[in-house]
Amino acid sequence: MTFVLFNLEVNAMGTVWRLQTRTDSSSGEKISKYCLDNDVAALGWSIKDDHIKNYNPEAIIEIQEKRKNIEDINQYYDVVRTYGLYGINNKKRLIAVDMLREIEKGDYIWMRDNGIYYLGYVSEQSECIYNSDEDALDFDAANQITAVNWERIGDESHVPGAVATAFIRGRTIQRINKGYMFEYAEYAFWNKPLVLEDSNEEFLQQLFYDCLSPSDCEDLVCLYLYDRKGYVTIPSTNKIATELYECVLVNPKNGMLAYPQVKKGPVPLDFNNYIDLVDDQKRKKEVYLFTSEGVVNKSNVQSDLIHIIAPNDLYLWVKSKMESEDYLIPEGIVKWYKLIHSSKNS
């Protein structure tokens, strides 16, 4: 039985959200499959039977009966608080459930299912509900936004990096607060032209990096070092898990090794962490540091073997390759560059 919690308001300029889903059904299927099959955006804290199985039989029957009759968010919290579910007391709230209620008509929701990204549009008919039907409870998907129209977008190469990285960590549901992600969602969902109101280089550079994934940035840095310094990647080193560098490069002319460290977003880097790496009497090594929005702390360290690749330098290098029709830039990155630069002032 389904009950409406509240009606969504129409949003003139909407918000873009990221919904993280997981597996919590008896069949082992994810909430994402339930969402796609039922045209909803859903999350847990569903008061499912597994959540109350350790209560005494009388309490279980009471909770199940009250669960059927939830008609609004206050009644939902009454049940949760009365029986101490999820560690919630009278002062605490379930952040994800409350945030679901902040989604408005006209918003967009990104969701991932088995590595494929889907974009959902919150339609005019959408409502926020608590659904106590058997399937919703089985999937732990009772808190829902209904009438969400989902479109299959594709794998990670088909979505902006700002979207892909939003799935790395964070709450079950959260906003994607990067510029032009709403306009991009309209472009991806409705095939509307992507119109950029600003066209200065600083803005275009930031938007370019917002569209890149962490692996895109790693590829660009390695290709930049090949083009500018003659370094080639030692393929097997891509599999080495280390916090200090992404892979090992070698200059085939002189045998020198290079260790690139690449971070996308406002991630700081520190010279001090790389002193021991380049302090090698047996073989000459150097380090290249890149962070797209962060700061590299040099402190008092002096070393001619530790270098910084500035975001502007890398962006201008990409721009020069694009303008010369050079084929060094990977196709996926070319797509983002062309999309952004063909849209300015359009």
Side-chain angles (χ1 to χ4, degrees):
M1 191 171 185
T2 299
F3 296 94
V4 175
L5 291 180
F6 73 106
N7 291 322
L8 299 174
E9 298 295 331
V10 177
N11 198 355
M13 173 59 81
T15 301
V16 179
W17 301 82
R18 186 274 285 141
L19 175 62
Q20 191 79 274
T21 60
R22 53 183 169 72
T23 301
D24 197 19
S25 66
S26 57
S27 64
E29 294 176 319
K30 295 181 180 179
I31 291 179
S32 52
K33 183 181 187 308
Y34 175 89
C35 291
L36 295 172
D37 289 345
N38 293 276
D39 299 324
V40 300
L43 45 79
W45 296 274
S46 303
I47 319 179
K48 59 183 295 185
D49 288 347
D50 278 353
H51 300 161
I52 59 175
K53 63 184 178 182
N54 294 325
Y55 287 70
N56 64 59
E58 293 79 7
I60 291 175
I61 294 172
E62 287 180 3
I63 296 171
Q64 290 172 334
E65 190 61 33
K66 289 182 178 180
R67 182 177 63 191
K68 295 177 183 177
N69 298 310
I70 293 175
E71 294 184 346
D72 57 41
I73 192 66
N74 293 324
Q75 290 183 3
Y76 172 80
Y77 271 117
D78 283 344
V79 175
V80 169
R81 287 170 173 160
T82 298
Y83 296 93
L85 289 165
Y86 318 121
I88 299 299
N89 57 32
N90 287 334
K91 294 183 179 180
K92 292 183 179 180
R93 299 185 70 87
L94 292 164
I95 295 174
V97 174
D98 286 349
M99 288 195 73
L100 192 71
R101 297 172 67 238
E102 296 180 21
I103 296 175
E104 300 179 356
K105 294 176 181 179
D107 284 357
Y108 292 92
I109 305 170
W110 285 98
M111 182 178 69
R112 190 168 57 185
D113 180 62
N114 294 323
I116 300 299
Y117 289 80
Y118 291 82
L119 182 59
Y121 175 70
V122 183
S123 70
E124 291 290 323
Q125 294 76 38
S126 295
E127 295 175 316
C128 191
I129 68 170
Y130 177 82
N131 183 348
S132 61
D133 287 352
E134 183 177 346
D135 280 352
L137 293 174
D138 179 51
F139 274 89
D140 193 13
N143 290 291
Q144 303 179 359
I145 300 289
T146 65
V148 174
N149 302 322
W150 293 104
E151 286 289 334
R152 187 184 192 275
I153 303 301
D155 61 22
E156 189 170 302
S157 66
H158 291 86
V159 302
V163 172
T165 55
F167 283 85
I168 296 175
R169 62 182 65 88
R171 305 187 196 281
T172 302
I173 187 163
Q174 63 186 39
R175 294 175 177 85
I176 298 178
N177 292 319
K178 286 290 187 178
Y180 278 88
M181 288 303 103
F182 182 82
E183 288 83 352
Y184 179 80
E186 294 208 307
Y187 161 81
F189 194 92
W190 302 105
N191 200 28
K192 290 183 178 180
L194 181 63
V195 179
L196 307 182
E197 296 177 358
D198 200 339
S199 61
N200 69 69
E201 285 299 301
E202 182 179 357
F203 166 79
L204 293 175
Q205 175 181 310
Q206 182 59 58
L207 185 55
F208 175 68
Y209 284 122
D210 285 345
C211 286
L212 299 187
S213 69
S215 58
D216 287 335
C217 289
E218 293 171 18
D219 288 346
L220 282 182
V221 168
C222 288
L223 291 168
Y224 172 88
L225 292 174
Y226 162 75
D227 188 55
R228 292 291 177 86
K229 303 293 182 178
Y231 280 110
V232 294
T233 305
I234 302 174
S236 62
T237 62
N238 280 315
K239 303 174 185 178
I240 299 174
T242 172
E243 294 182 0
L244 286 181
Y245 53 88
E246 311 302 337
C247 58
V248 182
L249 313 180
V250 63
N251 189 316
K253 293 184 177 180
N254 58 27
M256 190 165 185
L257 299 178
Y259 298 80
Q261 174 62 293
V262 181
K263 296 296 182 183
K264 173 181 160 55
V267 183
L269 294 173
D270 194 328
F271 259 53
N272 289 286
N273 296 333
Y274 301 89
I275 295 299
D276 291 342
L277 183 59
V278 298
D279 186 17
D280 189 337
Q281 302 302 318
K282 296 181 180 180
R283 191 165 187 179
K284 199 170 184 182
K285 303 174 180 178
E286 57 184 353
V287 168
Y288 288 87
L289 305 177
F290 172 85
T291 175
S292 65
E293 297 176 53
V295 175
V296 180
N297 175 31
K298 297 181 67 173
S299 60
N300 296 319
V301 175
Q302 298 294 325
S303 176
D304 294 333
L305 298 175
I306 304 176
H307 314 280
I308 299 173
I309 302 175
N312 186 57
D313 290 342
L314 188 63
Y315 171 74
L316 291 177
W317 174 77
V318 172
K319 183 179 180 182
S320 70
K321 294 298 177 184
M322 293 296 301
E323 291 176 350
S324 64
E325 296 186 357
D326 192 291
Y327 293 99
L328 193 58
I329 308 300
E331 183 179 352
I333 299 174
V334 169
K335 175 190 70 175
W336 295 120
Y337 184 93
K338 288 184 174 180
L339 174 63
I340 293 167
H341 289 76
S342 65
S343 299
K344 65 180 183 178
N345 292 328
S346 56

